[in-house]
Each structure stands twice: as C-alpha cells, then as structure tokens.
Amino acid sequence: MEKLLKGTKKLSQIISNASQNDERFILYGDADLDGISSVIILQETLELLNQNYKEKNKPIVYFPDRENDGYGITPTAIKKLKKYSPAVFVALDCGITNFEEIEELKREGFLTIIIDHHKVIGRLPKAEAIVNPKQKGEKYPFKKFSAAGVTYKISKYILESNYLEWSPDSFLELAALATLADQMPQEGENEEIIKQGLMALKYTKRTGLLALKEVTDYQEDLKSDVYQKIISPLNSSDRINDLTESYVLLTANSKRQARAIAKELYRKSIAKKEKIQKMLEEVEKRIRGNEVIIYEGDKNWLTVMIGIVASKICQKYKKPTFLFKYTENEAVCSARLPKGFDGVKAMQHCQDLLNSFGGHAPACGCRLKKENLEKFKDCLVNYFIEKQNE
Ligand SMILES: [Mn+2]
C-alpha cells in the first residue's frame, strides 16, 4: 500500500461521501498560481466523481481579494459565501492559521476541510479534516510539496480508491507549474512532479495553456519560457467576479476567450516586470549597507509586488528582508529570509505587535497596525541579533 500524507483518508472519505450525496462544495483557494492550480485539480476530481459537478451542481469557486482583504480566509469572503450553507467548504493553499474563521464557518453550518502546505503555528484550526505535510506527527517522508502537489496526491487517492479512470497528465502539468511558481525545493518527489508535469505540458490539451503558448510564441525546449511565458502571465492575473483571470483561462473551453485572456495576461506580466524593476531600484536607493535587516515600506507599492521585490533584495543582500505596503490603517508585510533564518519564528517572537502572520520559514507575511511599525522593527532586529549570538 502506498504511503499517504496524514489526514488523506479522512479528508478523501468526506469528499467521496459528500459527492455521492450530491452535496454542494465551496472551493476556496489562495489567489496565486499554487492556489488556483489546487482548486482546479480538486474541481476536476469532483467532476470525475460525479457528473453533476460539471453540469447542474457546480462547485462555488472563490479566490480572496489579496490586495484589499488580505491572505487566507477573510471576513469579507465569509460574509459573501455564507448564503451557500450548508456545504463542504474546502480551503486550498490557505486556512492553516485561520483559527477564528474556521470556527465562524462552522457556526454558519459549513463542514470545513483544509488542504494546505504553510507552516502550522502552534495549534491546528478545528476543521473536520486537514492535510498539511507540515503538521505534527506527519510520518510521510517528503514534506516540501506545493499545495497543488498535496492536492494532486489527494486526488490520486480519491480517484484510485473509487476505481475511476483518469489521466494524471492534466493534473501534473498544473502541479508542476505551481511547484515552480511557489519556488518549492526541486528535490525528492517535487523533482518527479516537475519532470512529469513539464512533459505533460508539452502535450497539453488544456485550451488555456495552448492559447498561452500560441500568443507568447512559446519555445518548447527553452526552460526560461516556462517562467516568462507561462508562470509569470498566470501569476499576473486580476480578479473578476470573485474568480481570477488565470482560473478562467485554465478552465476555459472556448479558444477565442482563452486567446483573449492569454494575450491580456502576457501584456500584464511584461508591464509588471517593468514596475518591479522600478520598485527594486527604489528600495535599493534606501539601503545603507550596515543594517541587520532590510525594512522598508511605502503606500504606493502594491501588495502583489512586495513579495517578489523582497525575494530579489534578499537574494542580493543576503539579509532578512521585510517590505511593507501601507494601507489606510494597516501595514501589509511580505518577508523573505536567507538560508538558515526562519521568518515565521521571528514573527512569532513579535506576535503581540501583529494582527496576523503566517507562511514558510524563507517566505512569509504579516499585517500590523502602522503605529506598531517602529516597535516591530526593533523587535525583529533584537531577535536576529540574539540569533546571531547563539
Ligand atoms: Mn502555496
């Protein structure tokens, strides 16, 4: 018997049972390519389980508005979605730190399950089932999956244990793109997912991916084209009606619609690159060179960009990097850390100053009141100095 990630059986049983009873599903994913891929893999698994999910009883798909409402399960989203109760609420690529929101969803009558790969902070939310390779007591040897990688493994188990015919390729291509987009380590099982997924991408039948290849003049054997002409456009999408353009593209049936969205996304990815370059130059101008951490913010920066710029700065200066977008009354932070540093632990150390925080050791984020910005900086600097002296 193949080894499974902890929680797989229970979570799969919930999904299989609910689908047999034609119950409604809400697929709630993070709005980046990993979250979108996770949602699509599970949605297509549901369609294989029960034709109704393709026709009359389509799952409700929702991606939160990261720019305005923040990461994870948000109060705005709950307000909008509660009219669909009762339903099975699946959080994908988010949820593992949404303790209160999961409680709230349960009070609203949802059955909640979580498929995530972000760091567990202290306890687990009280969801009915959780699959997250980072949870305590996980015996599965490999733990560095993307959320789409985790979803792929769950879907495989569900489909195989229901004796359904399926082809892994259309899931693997998404899992591979998500693994690369989320910058998960290219080792262990990820290596296999990437290898098989990129092969599947070569022969993809997905209308949206075919359209992207066509409008970007994609070169099959150029690895940089996977990033520049597929991943970057798919990570440059805006929201439309609680969905994202990339989701619409990757699930499109119409070639015409797919081509139009693909063109638009490619254009946006190029414009984004220019904006990132500008922002990068701006941050670099502010760096003095003797700081323990890089800690900068601006109200004109975009939330979707601070993470990418923080990555580049961190790579170049090899220092813990915290960049902020200032909103009206909050500061939204995206942090990137060099090898050997753990940003989630650092934030946990300063958690009294934060409204929320979470993510991975090398890439994480938080939100705080603007009045706490100076204190937070001091707290982080002290933390990292102490660490150095350990
Ligand atoms: Mn992810």
Side-chain angles (χ1 to χ4, degrees):
M1 199 45 209
E2 202 180 335
K3 254 188 154 300
L4 298 171
L5 286 161
K6 191 179 176 188
T8 299
K9 274 194 187 159
K10 191 169 177 199
L11 189 135
S12 304
Q13 201 61 53
I14 292 174
I15 291 178
S16 300
N17 286 347
S19 111
Q20 263 161 24
N21 297 330
D22 265 340
E23 280 170 44
R24 178 158 33 207
F25 279 86
I26 295 180
L27 307 182
Y28 187 101
D30 180 33
D32 73 1
L33 186 51
D34 190 24
I36 294 169
S37 300
S38 306
V39 166
I40 297 173
I41 292 171
L42 188 58
Q43 180 178 2
E44 292 177 358
T45 301
L46 291 175
E47 288 168 5
L48 288 166
L49 274 176
N50 180 341
Q51 268 298 311
N52 278 338
Y53 291 124
K54 202 168 190 169
E55 288 145 16
K56 302 177 288 237
N57 195 11
K58 283 192 177 193
I60 313 289
V61 173
Y62 188 97
F63 298 99
D65 183 347
R66 245 183 168 180
E67 206 62 49
N68 294 310
D69 300 331
Y71 168 82
I73 306 171
T74 66
T76 318
I78 296 178
K79 220 182 270 170
K80 269 196 180 169
L81 292 170
K82 64 183 182 193
K83 63 173 181 243
Y84 298 115
S85 170
V88 180
F89 187 104
V90 195
L92 297 115
D93 196 22
C94 65
I96 203 68
T97 51
N98 285 117
F99 307 103
E100 278 152 41
E101 292 79 3
I102 292 288
E103 294 284 347
E104 173 74 20
L105 286 167
K106 281 169 79 171
R107 276 196 297 276
E108 292 294 344
F110 292 104
L111 194 162
T112 58
I113 57 183
I114 299 173
I115 300 172
D116 201 355
H117 70 141
H118 290 94
K119 228 176 153 159
V120 177
I121 296 172
R123 63 202 164 104
L124 288 171
K126 293 214 172 76
E128 219 57 52
I130 297 175
V131 179
N132 181 337
K134 309 238 167 69
Q135 64 181 304
K136 240 195 200 156
E138 177 63 80
K139 292 202 182 77
Y140 197 84
F142 188 71
K143 300 185 168 60
K144 297 170 180 172
F145 294 106
S146 63
V150 176
T151 313
Y152 169 72
K153 291 183 75 70
I154 294 169
S155 288
K156 182 171 187 276
Y157 177 76
I158 294 176
L159 294 167
E160 283 174 358
S161 51
N162 283 283
Y163 305 103
L164 285 160
E165 260 193 63
W166 66 298
S167 102
D169 281 4
S170 64
F171 292 170
L172 276 167
E173 62 189 7
L174 295 178
L177 291 173
T179 305
L180 294 173
D182 248 35
Q183 297 179 316
M184 301 315 289
Q186 296 184 30
E187 55 185 57
E189 271 186 65
N190 282 348
E191 231 176 344
E192 211 39 47
I193 290 175
I194 293 168
K195 199 174 120 206
Q196 292 178 15
L198 291 185
M199 184 54 78
L201 174 67
K202 209 167 172 172
Y203 303 103
T204 186
K205 295 189 187 87
R206 214 172 270 281
T207 310
L209 289 173
L210 287 168
L212 250 182
K213 285 186 182 180
E214 188 193 312
V215 305
T216 61
D217 189 22
Y218 179 79
Q219 305 294 308
E220 283 299 344
D221 291 309
L222 209 56
K223 188 132 193 224
S224 59
D225 268 19
V226 177
Y227 285 96
Q228 282 165 27
K229 296 179 173 175
I230 308 272
I231 291 173
S232 176
L234 288 173
N235 255 340
S236 300
S237 78
D238 287 308
R239 283 173 97 244
I240 11 169
N241 306 326
D242 301 339
L243 299 175
T244 68
E245 289 166 301
S246 295
Y247 170 83
V248 178
L249 176 64
L250 290 170
T251 53
N253 291 318
S254 137
K255 277 188 196 164
R256 251 188 58 196
Q257 185 200 19
R259 237 180 257 138
I261 302 175
K263 262 191 201 160
E264 179 64 7
L265 288 182
Y266 190 44
R267 186 192 64 73
K268 279 188 195 166
S269 74
I270 291 166
K272 190 171 153 191
K273 216 179 271 169
E274 285 166 15
K275 275 193 212 157
I276 285 167
Q277 193 50 40
K278 268 201 191 138
M279 187 184 150
L280 194 61
E281 284 164 18
E282 223 181 294
V283 177
E284 286 199 278
K285 263 191 229 153
R286 301 190 195 179
I287 296 174
R288 295 161 169 271
N290 58 352
E291 52 274 89
V292 180
I293 62 172
I294 294 167
Y295 193 94
E296 302 292 343
D298 205 294
K299 70 174 189 325
N300 294 318
W301 294 346
L302 285 174
T303 312
V304 289
M305 259 179 251
I306 52 177
I308 303 167
V309 175
S311 274
K312 292 185 190 280
I313 294 280
C314 177
Q315 259 169 34
K316 185 163 170 188
Y317 295 88
K318 310 257 181 306
K319 285 181 186 180
T321 303
F322 295 77
L323 297 184
F324 298 85
K325 189 232 159 55
Y326 302 146
T327 65
E328 207 170 312
N329 35 33
E330 266 193 323
V332 181
C333 169
S334 209
R336 294 293 182 274
L337 296 99
K339 234 188 152 126
F341 291 86
D342 186 333
V344 179
K345 273 195 190 150
M347 288 177 179
Q348 206 166 358
H349 178 77
C350 309
Q351 61 181 316
D352 293 347
L353 299 166
L354 305 176
N355 293 346
S356 66
F357 67 102
H360 309 284
C364 47
C366 66
R367 307 171 74 87
L368 66 157
K369 287 199 189 107
K370 277 194 283 192
E371 64 211 53
N372 283 337
L373 275 164
E374 274 311 306
K375 280 190 209 149
F376 183 43
K377 185 177 180 184
D378 292 342
C379 178
L380 288 171
V381 169
N382 286 335
Y383 174 82
F384 286 114
I385 290 176
E386 250 169 60
K387 278 269 132 196
Q388 266 170 12
N389 297 335
E390 253 170 31

